[in-house]
Amino acid sequence: MLLLLLLLIPLIGIFIISSRSDFSASSSNEIKTIGLTTSIINLLISLVIWILFDFSQNQFQFVQEYHQVSFCDFYLGVDGLSIYFVILTTIIMPVALLSNWSSIRENVKSYVIIILLLETLLLAVFLVLDIFLFYVFFESTLPPLFLLIGLFGSDNKVRASLYLFLYTLLGSLFLLLAILTMSSLMGTTDFEALFKGNFNPSTQMFLFAGVLFAFAVKTPVIFLHTWLLKAHVESPLGGSVILAAIVLKLSLYGICRLILPILPVASLNYTPLVYVICVITIVYASLSTLRTTDVKELIAFSSVSHAAVYLLGIFSNTVQGIEGSILLGLGHGFVSSGLFICVGGILYDRTHTRLITYYRGLAQIMPLFSLLFFILCLGNSGTPLTLNFVGEFLSLYGAFERMPVLGALACSSIVFSAAFTFYLYNRIVFAGSLSSYFSVAIPDLNKREFTILATLVAFTVFFGFYPAPILDGLHYSVSTLIYNYSEPCVALLLSLPISNASGLAKLNLNPNSPKIFHIFGFYVSGFCDGESCFNIRIYKSSDRKIPPRSAPPL
């Protein structure tokens, strides 16, 4: 029932707001308060789910089943991967509402309704256990984002909203084709059933190409990133926060759900191609960031660079890399949100310009802002004792372990991120005396702005000091995503209940007797004593050195 409440509470808030007919200034504040209260209630419910969650297993929990809803089954569930994305969503939504608290003065009712609708749809993406419903909610986030940018954006808001809609819709068509193919071959769209399936390697290649293209657009990577820059620059502040913190993480979550467990062979075969694209994206995005003069576009380019880093980790086929990619995704959600609020909210609301050339010497009149902005910049550059450092280090470690040469080239992101982040910070906060373009004094942070930034900084620093609450919850779920195609027999044997002779009888293995048996094109020879200890050797079917059946015990 708790998962259903997560989806229904924002809809209840939308119903309450829609029933109001008063459009006065006091009514606008009440509408914002209703929206904020609704999102905070959802945050509390997600924390209750996290407290009650059993991290000692990798099964879906709090499962709610509603069979035969139209032509698919409506399942809700959460596991050790999705629960952190759910919590991230419920944390960011109040931040998005508070960030535009005073800057949105017209159509406040529409703005709050769109934000709450986005919360429901984004949570549904992380909670549904049906691959077709995953696609439906994955795509259903586009119309609210289209309206959010088109109604409340800057000068070129119409073009930016069209770029967002058309780019991501085109990429997702390939995802739809891949999902329909999976459903046709397997006869089901249930995640649990698909995880247990086994597609042919050639089929996996075609399915992987379609799914990867859709997620490459959503991430985005080089040549597919044009929509992101325009959407970030022209979007209202709340839209930029949601886009950077949550929407870009849909691809990360989708890879964990659709590619790694369902298409493991293709993911391993295509890893070199993915790594080359990611390294090119890191270098291109970082160099573009260094020459950018628009502060919001600079943060958007840095998001592209960091997204390429967690793509490297997620395809590393190592526990460290996959856990690091998820940590980096969570850390990027906090840090990028804070940076957008600093440059696109606090500074833009006071100066009405996004050009970095007009800023200089703000440390003299905004010391509190300079301090919190500095900590967020440290997180963005991957400085130790921040959550981004833990995620980036583990991601690059996994990438280096998977492919050392490309992993070493990807490590250039450490230098590049420090260069463009502190170029931004130095130009705004220091760089000499206060800019002569500001004829009046700029006030420092107010209580609302300080609360938002302090909250995001607290999450970044706390989990940078102590990431165990996240890592411990990820271990079981991430371990199921590791695929070792060279020794599948060992994985099978280690998963069998072999504590006694009756368990061994299923494989015609009796205690104290050597046997050779054939599984999945491999021969396994070994010895089992009364305490169920194996000494296993594995031979390929084509190996001429297979021992005869009368071989002595190993």
Side-chain angles (χ1 to χ4, degrees):
M1 193 64 185
L2 290 175
L3 300 186
L4 192 60
L5 283 177
L6 281 177
L7 302 180
L8 291 180
I9 286 178
L11 297 179
I12 294 173
I14 291 173
F15 177 77
I16 295 173
I17 293 172
S18 301
S19 62
R20 301 184 64 87
S21 58
D22 187 10
F23 295 97
S24 61
S26 60
S27 177
S28 297
N29 289 330
E30 291 177 2
I31 289 173
K32 294 176 185 176
T33 304
I34 293 172
L36 181 62
T37 304
T38 302
S39 59
I40 291 176
I41 292 173
N42 246 18
L43 173 59
L44 296 177
I45 293 175
S46 66
L47 292 177
V48 171
I49 293 173
W50 182 71
I51 292 171
L52 299 177
F53 192 85
D54 182 10
F55 288 100
S56 63
Q57 57 175 305
N58 58 6
Q59 302 296 321
F60 289 105
Q61 301 179 38
F62 303 98
V63 175
Q64 294 176 249
E65 303 179 13
Y66 301 92
H67 295 284
Q68 296 300 324
V69 178
S70 184
F71 50 85
C72 58
D73 295 335
F74 189 69
Y75 287 91
L76 295 178
V78 66
D79 67 344
L81 290 173
S82 58
I83 188 170
Y84 293 106
F85 291 98
V86 169
I87 294 175
L88 176 67
T89 304
T90 55
I91 290 174
I92 293 299
M93 284 301 172
V95 172
L97 285 169
L98 285 172
S99 63
N100 275 128
W101 193 265
S102 58
S103 56
I104 299 292
R105 297 182 177 90
E106 297 180 357
N107 291 332
V108 175
K109 185 176 181 180
S110 301
Y111 177 79
V112 177
I113 287 176
I114 290 173
I115 294 293
L116 293 179
L117 180 60
L118 268 175
E119 181 173 11
T120 294
L121 297 176
L122 289 168
L123 286 172
V125 174
F126 301 128
L127 293 179
V128 293
L129 303 183
D130 187 279
I131 192 172
F132 183 77
L133 289 179
F134 171 84
Y135 172 80
V136 169
F137 289 114
F138 182 83
E139 283 301 289
S140 62
T141 58
L142 289 181
L145 286 171
F146 177 83
L147 293 175
L148 187 65
I149 298 174
L151 292 176
F152 303 97
S154 301
D155 298 335
N156 294 323
K157 56 188 178 183
V158 176
R159 175 177 296 223
S161 59
L162 286 173
Y163 265 68
L164 166 70
F165 191 85
L166 295 178
Y167 259 83
T168 52
L169 182 64
L170 174 63
S172 299
L173 289 179
F174 294 92
L175 176 62
L176 176 61
L177 292 175
I179 289 175
L180 292 177
T181 305
M182 293 181 192
S183 175
S184 175
L185 293 175
M186 294 292 294
T188 182
T189 56
D190 182 56
F191 271 133
E192 291 275 7
L194 290 171
F195 291 165
K196 295 176 174 63
N198 185 18
F199 295 105
N200 292 329
S202 59
T203 305
Q204 289 192 32
M205 296 299 176
F206 288 102
L207 295 175
F208 181 88
V211 176
L212 181 66
F213 182 77
F215 291 149
V217 173
K218 187 71 84 172
T219 301
V221 296
I222 189 172
F223 307 129
L224 301 172
H225 67 285
T226 309
W227 68 270
L228 180 67
L229 305 179
K230 295 183 181 298
H232 268 311
V233 170
E234 304 300 332
S235 174
L237 180 57
S240 294
V241 169
I242 294 173
L243 195 61
I246 308 171
V247 175
L248 299 188
K249 308 305 176 295
L250 295 181
S251 61
L252 178 64
Y253 176 75
I255 292 171
C256 294
R257 277 286 179 262
L258 270 65
I259 292 182
L260 298 185
I262 301 176
L263 310 171
V265 175
S267 67
L268 289 179
N269 292 339
Y270 274 111
T271 296
L273 174 63
V274 174
Y275 271 40
V276 170
I277 294 174
C278 289
V279 170
I280 296 174
T281 303
I282 290 171
V283 176
Y284 171 80
S286 300
L287 294 178
S288 300
T289 306
L290 288 171
R291 57 172 292 276
T292 301
T293 57
D294 188 309
V295 287
K296 284 189 76 174
E297 189 175 348
L298 194 150
I299 304 301
F301 262 124
S302 72
S303 297
V304 175
S305 177
H306 287 103
V309 174
Y310 63 63
L311 271 186
L312 289 168
I314 202 70
F315 279 101
S316 65
N317 198 39
T318 62
V319 174
Q320 296 90 344
I322 298 175
E323 289 182 353
S325 66
I326 296 172
L327 281 177
L328 182 57
L330 298 176
H332 177 262
F334 296 130
V335 170
S336 64
S337 300
L339 290 176
F340 273 116
I341 291 170
C342 286
V343 300
I346 296 169
L347 293 182
Y348 184 78
D349 289 343
R350 289 162 170 76
T351 62
H352 300 288
T353 181
R354 295 194 304 265
L355 293 178
I356 197 172
T357 53
Y358 288 101
Y359 295 104
R360 190 176 66 220
L362 290 183
Q364 303 171 35
I365 56 175
M366 302 178 70
L368 199 56
F369 165 81
S370 301
L371 176 61
L372 294 177
F373 188 34
F374 177 68
I375 299 175
L376 290 171
C377 286
L378 290 177
N380 195 53
S381 59
T383 306
L385 301 183
T386 61
L387 180 57
N388 293 57
F389 166 76
V390 181
E392 194 164 347
F393 175 80
L394 290 176
S395 297
L396 293 174
Y397 174 83
F400 186 82
E401 186 175 348
R402 182 75 173 87
M403 302 190 70
V405 175
L406 292 176
L409 292 175
C411 290
S412 61
S413 65
I414 300 172
V415 179
F416 282 128
S417 61
F420 61 67
T421 300
F422 286 100
Y423 166 77
L424 168 70
Y425 183 80
N426 187 55
R427 288 292 299 274
I428 291 177
V429 176
F430 298 119
S433 60
L434 181 65
S435 175
S436 58
Y437 292 102
F438 302 143
S439 57
V440 295
I442 302 175
D444 206 350
L445 301 179
N446 56 36
K447 292 181 180 179
R448 173 182 60 85
E449 295 163 343
F450 176 78
T451 302
I452 297 172
L453 292 183
T455 302
L456 297 174
V457 166
F459 281 116
T460 303
V461 175
F462 174 77
F463 289 115
F465 273 98
Y466 186 62
I470 302 176
L471 289 175
D472 291 345
L474 289 174
H475 288 328
Y476 281 96
S477 296
V478 168
S479 63
T480 62
L481 301 178
I482 305 300
Y483 183 71
N484 189 354
Y485 66 95
S486 62
E487 297 180 2
C489 311
V490 175
L492 175 64
L493 287 173
L494 294 179
S495 66
L496 289 175
I498 54 175
S499 59
N500 52 46
S502 61
L504 299 174
K506 297 178 182 179
L507 292 174
N508 296 321
L509 264 176
N510 296 319
N512 302 312
S513 63
K515 290 288 183 181
I516 300 173
F517 55 95
H518 179 264
I519 304 176
F520 301 147
F522 289 77
Y523 285 97
V524 178
S525 64
F527 176 80
C528 176
D529 60 14
E531 297 181 356
S532 305
C533 296
F534 282 91
N535 290 318
I536 300 172
R537 289 183 182 176
I538 300 174
Y539 307 88
K540 293 184 179 179
S541 300
S542 59
D543 197 340
R544 297 181 179 179
K545 298 181 180 180
I546 298 174
R549 286 190 173 272
S550 59
L554 299 175

